Coordinates of all heavy atoms in Angstrom, one line a residue:
Chain S
D68 N -56.0 -19.7 -5.8 CA -56.7 -19.6 -4.5 C -58.2 -19.4 -4.7 O -58.7 -18.4 -5.2 CB -56.2 -18.5 -3.6 CG -56.6 -18.6 -2.2 OD1 -57.8 -18.4 -2.0 OD2 -55.8 -18.9 -1.3
D70 N -60.6 -18.8 -2.5 CA -61.1 -17.6 -1.8 C -60.9 -16.4 -2.6 O -61.8 -15.5 -2.7 CB -60.5 -17.5 -0.4 CG -60.9 -18.7 0.5 OD1 -62.1 -19.2 0.3 OD2 -60.1 -19.1 1.3
D71 N -59.7 -16.2 -3.1 CA -59.3 -15.0 -3.8 C -60.2 -14.9 -5.1 O -60.6 -13.8 -5.5 CB -57.9 -15.0 -4.2 CG -57.0 -14.5 -3.0 OD1 -57.5 -13.6 -2.3 OD2 -55.9 -14.9 -2.9
M73 N -63.1 -16.0 -5.4 CA -64.5 -15.6 -5.0 C -64.6 -14.1 -4.7 O -65.5 -13.5 -5.1 CB -64.9 -16.5 -3.8 CG -66.3 -16.2 -3.3 SD -66.6 -17.1 -1.7 CE -66.0 -15.9 -0.6
F74 N -63.5 -13.7 -3.9 CA -63.5 -12.2 -3.6 C -63.5 -11.4 -4.9 O -64.2 -10.4 -5.0 CB -62.2 -11.8 -2.8 CG -62.2 -12.4 -1.4 CD1 -60.9 -12.8 -0.9 CD2 -63.3 -12.5 -0.6 CE1 -60.9 -13.3 0.4 CE2 -63.2 -13.0 0.7 CZ -62.0 -13.4 1.2
D77 N -67.0 -11.6 -6.6 CA -67.9 -10.9 -5.8 C -67.7 -9.4 -5.9 O -68.7 -8.7 -6.0 CB -67.7 -11.3 -4.3 CG -68.3 -12.6 -4.0 OD1 -68.9 -13.3 -4.9 OD2 -68.2 -13.0 -2.8
E81 N -70.5 -6.7 -7.3 CA -71.0 -5.6 -6.5 C -70.7 -4.3 -7.2 O -71.3 -3.3 -7.0 CB -70.4 -5.6 -5.1 CG -71.0 -6.7 -4.3 CD -70.5 -6.6 -2.8 OE1 -70.1 -5.6 -2.4 OE2 -70.6 -7.7 -2.1
N117 N -47.9 -16.7 -7.7 CA -47.6 -17.9 -7.1 C -48.7 -19.0 -7.4 O -49.7 -19.0 -6.8 CB -47.5 -17.7 -5.6 CG -46.5 -18.6 -5.0 OD1 -45.8 -19.4 -5.7 ND2 -46.3 -18.6 -3.7
S145 N -50.9 -10.0 -6.7 CA -50.1 -10.8 -5.8 C -50.2 -10.4 -4.4 O -50.4 -9.3 -4.0 CB -48.6 -10.9 -6.3 OG -47.8 -11.5 -5.4
T146 N -49.9 -11.4 -3.5 CA -49.9 -11.1 -2.1 C -48.6 -10.4 -1.7 O -48.6 -9.5 -0.9 CB -49.9 -12.4 -1.3 OG1 -50.9 -13.3 -1.8 CG2 -50.2 -12.2 0.2
S147 N -47.5 -10.8 -2.4 CA -46.2 -10.2 -2.0 C -46.0 -8.9 -2.8 O -46.5 -8.7 -3.8 CB -45.1 -11.2 -2.4 OG -44.3 -10.6 -3.4
K166 N -51.0 -5.1 -5.2 CA -50.8 -5.9 -4.0 C -52.2 -6.2 -3.5 O -53.0 -5.3 -3.2 CB -50.0 -5.2 -2.9 CG -49.7 -6.0 -1.7 CD -48.7 -5.3 -0.8 CE -48.2 -6.1 0.3 NZ -49.1 -6.1 1.5
K167 N -52.5 -7.5 -3.3 CA -53.9 -7.9 -2.9 C -54.2 -7.2 -1.6 O -53.5 -7.3 -0.6 CB -54.0 -9.4 -2.7 CG -53.9 -10.2 -4.0 CD -54.0 -11.7 -3.7 CE -53.8 -12.5 -5.0 NZ -53.6 -13.9 -4.7
P168 N -55.3 -6.4 -1.5 CA -55.6 -5.7 -0.3 C -56.2 -6.7 0.7 O -56.6 -7.7 0.4 CB -56.6 -4.6 -0.8 CG -57.2 -5.2 -2.0 CD -56.2 -6.1 -2.6
S169 N -56.2 -6.2 2.0 CA -56.7 -7.1 3.0 C -58.1 -6.7 3.5 O -58.5 -7.1 4.6 CB -55.7 -7.1 4.2 OG -55.4 -5.8 4.6
D170 N -58.8 -5.9 2.8 CA -60.2 -5.8 3.1 C -61.0 -5.5 1.8 O -60.5 -5.1 0.8 CB -60.5 -4.7 4.2 CG -60.4 -3.3 3.7 OD1 -59.2 -2.9 3.5 OD2 -61.4 -2.7 3.4
F171 N -62.2 -5.9 1.9 CA -63.0 -6.0 0.7 C -63.3 -4.6 0.0 O -63.3 -4.5 -1.2 CB -64.4 -6.7 1.0 CG -65.1 -7.2 -0.2 CD1 -64.6 -8.2 -0.9 CD2 -66.3 -6.6 -0.6 CE1 -65.3 -8.7 -2.0 CE2 -67.0 -7.1 -1.7 CZ -66.4 -8.1 -2.4
K175 N -62.5 -3.6 -3.9 CA -63.4 -3.1 -4.9 C -62.8 -1.8 -5.5 O -62.9 -1.6 -6.7 CB -64.8 -2.8 -4.2 CG -65.5 -4.1 -4.0 CD -67.1 -3.8 -3.9 CE -67.4 -3.1 -2.6 NZ -68.8 -3.0 -2.4
Chain I
H651 N -39.5 -15.9 2.7 CA -40.5 -16.0 1.6 C -41.8 -16.5 2.2 O -42.9 -16.0 1.9 CB -40.0 -17.0 0.5 CG -40.9 -16.9 -0.7 ND1 -41.8 -17.8 -1.0 CD2 -41.0 -16.0 -1.7 CE1 -42.5 -17.5 -2.0 NE2 -42.0 -16.4 -2.5
S654 N -43.3 -13.7 4.0 CA -43.8 -12.6 3.2 C -45.0 -13.0 2.4 O -45.9 -12.2 2.1 CB -42.7 -12.1 2.2 OG -42.6 -13.1 1.2
H655 N -45.1 -14.3 2.0 CA -46.1 -14.7 1.1 C -47.2 -15.6 1.8 O -48.3 -15.2 2.0 CB -45.5 -15.4 -0.1 CG -46.3 -15.3 -1.3 ND1 -47.3 -16.2 -1.6 CD2 -46.3 -14.4 -2.3 CE1 -47.9 -15.8 -2.8 NE2 -47.3 -14.7 -3.2
D656 N -46.7 -16.8 2.2 CA -47.6 -17.8 2.7 C -48.3 -17.4 4.0 O -49.5 -17.6 4.2 CB -46.9 -19.1 2.9 CG -46.2 -19.5 1.6 OD1 -46.3 -18.7 0.6 OD2 -45.6 -20.6 1.6
Q658 N -48.8 -14.3 5.0 CA -49.7 -13.1 4.8 C -51.0 -13.5 4.1 O -52.0 -12.8 4.3 CB -48.9 -12.1 3.9 CG -47.9 -11.3 4.7 CD -47.5 -10.1 3.9 OE1 -48.3 -9.3 3.5 NE2 -46.2 -10.0 3.6
E659 N -50.9 -14.6 3.3 CA -52.1 -14.9 2.5 C -53.3 -15.3 3.4 O -54.4 -14.7 3.3 CB -51.8 -16.1 1.6 CG -52.5 -15.9 0.3 CD -51.9 -16.7 -0.9 OE1 -51.9 -17.9 -0.8 OE2 -51.3 -16.0 -1.7
R662 N -54.5 -12.3 5.3 CA -55.2 -11.3 4.4 C -56.7 -11.8 4.2 O -57.6 -11.0 4.2 CB -54.5 -11.2 3.1 CG -55.2 -10.2 2.1 CD -54.4 -10.1 0.9 NE -53.9 -11.3 0.3 CZ -54.7 -12.2 -0.4 NH1 -56.0 -11.8 -0.6 NH2 -54.3 -13.3 -0.8
K663 N -56.8 -13.2 4.1 CA -58.1 -13.7 3.9 C -59.0 -13.5 5.1 O -60.2 -13.2 5.0 CB -58.0 -15.1 3.4 CG -57.8 -15.3 1.9 CD -58.0 -16.7 1.5 CE -56.8 -17.3 0.9 NZ -56.9 -18.7 0.8
Q665 N -58.7 -11.2 7.2 CA -59.1 -9.8 7.3 C -60.2 -9.5 6.3 O -61.2 -8.7 6.6 CB -57.9 -8.9 7.0 CG -57.0 -8.9 8.2 CD -55.8 -7.9 8.0 OE1 -55.1 -8.0 7.1 NE2 -55.7 -7.0 9.0
T666 N -60.1 -10.0 5.0 CA -61.1 -9.8 4.0 C -62.4 -10.4 4.4 O -63.5 -9.7 4.3 CB -60.6 -10.4 2.7 OG1 -59.3 -10.0 2.4 CG2 -61.5 -9.8 1.5
F667 N -62.4 -11.6 4.9 CA -63.6 -12.2 5.4 C -64.2 -11.4 6.5 O -65.5 -11.2 6.6 CB -63.4 -13.7 5.8 CG -63.4 -14.6 4.7 CD1 -62.3 -15.5 4.4 CD2 -64.5 -14.7 3.9 CE1 -62.3 -16.4 3.4 CE2 -64.6 -15.7 2.8 CZ -63.4 -16.4 2.6
S669 N -63.9 -8.2 7.0 CA -64.5 -7.0 6.4 C -65.9 -7.3 5.7 O -66.8 -6.5 5.8 CB -63.6 -6.3 5.4 OG -63.4 -7.1 4.3
R670 N -65.9 -8.6 5.1 CA -67.2 -9.0 4.5 C -68.3 -9.2 5.5 O -69.4 -8.8 5.4 CB -67.0 -10.2 3.7 CG -66.0 -10.1 2.5 CD -66.6 -10.6 1.2 NE -67.7 -9.7 0.8 CZ -68.5 -9.9 -0.2 NH1 -68.4 -11.0 -0.9 NH2 -69.4 -9.0 -0.6
E673 N -69.5 -6.0 7.0 CA -70.3 -5.3 6.0 C -71.7 -5.9 5.8 O -72.7 -5.2 5.8 CB -69.6 -5.2 4.7 CG -70.1 -4.1 3.7 CD -69.3 -4.1 2.4 OE1 -68.0 -4.2 2.5 OE2 -69.9 -4.2 1.4
K674 N -71.7 -7.2 5.6 CA -72.9 -7.9 5.2 C -73.7 -8.4 6.4 O -75.0 -8.4 6.3 CB -72.6 -9.1 4.3 CG -72.2 -8.6 2.9 CD -72.2 -9.9 2.0 CE -72.6 -9.5 0.5 NZ -72.5 -10.6 -0.3
R698 N -50.5 -8.3 11.2 CA -50.0 -7.8 9.9 C -48.8 -6.9 10.1 O -47.7 -7.0 9.5 CB -51.1 -7.0 9.2 CG -50.6 -6.2 8.0 CD -51.7 -6.0 7.0 NE -52.3 -7.2 6.6 CZ -51.8 -7.9 5.6 NH1 -50.7 -7.6 5.0 NH2 -52.4 -9.1 5.3
R709 N -34.9 -7.8 6.0 CA -34.3 -7.2 4.8 C -33.1 -6.3 5.1 O -32.2 -6.2 4.4 CB -35.4 -6.4 4.1 CG -36.0 -7.1 3.0 CD -37.1 -6.4 2.3 NE -36.7 -5.1 1.8 CZ -37.6 -4.1 1.5 NH1 -38.9 -4.3 1.6 NH2 -37.1 -2.9 1.0
D732 N -44.5 9.1 2.5 CA -45.1 7.8 2.9 C -46.0 7.9 4.1 O -47.0 7.2 4.1 CB -44.0 6.8 3.2 CG -43.3 6.2 2.0 OD1 -43.9 6.5 0.9 OD2 -42.3 5.5 2.1

Side-chain angles (χ1 to χ4, degrees):
Chain S
D68 192 294
D70 293 330
D71 276 329
M73 186 187 81
F74 293 146
D77 283 1
E81 290 186 18
N117 213 3
S145 171
T146 313
S147 116
K166 186 173 185 271
K167 290 178 183 169
S169 53
D170 75 283
F171 197 67
K175 288 203 287 187
Chain I
H651 189 259
S654 73
H655 209 270
D656 304 3
Q658 281 192 61
E659 215 159 68
R662 182 175 46 77
K663 274 194 246 167
Q665 287 185 304
T666 313
F667 278 121
S669 69
R670 298 232 70 187
E673 199 182 310
K674 281 192 153 178
R698 169 157 303 279
R709 262 177 59 195
D732 278 352

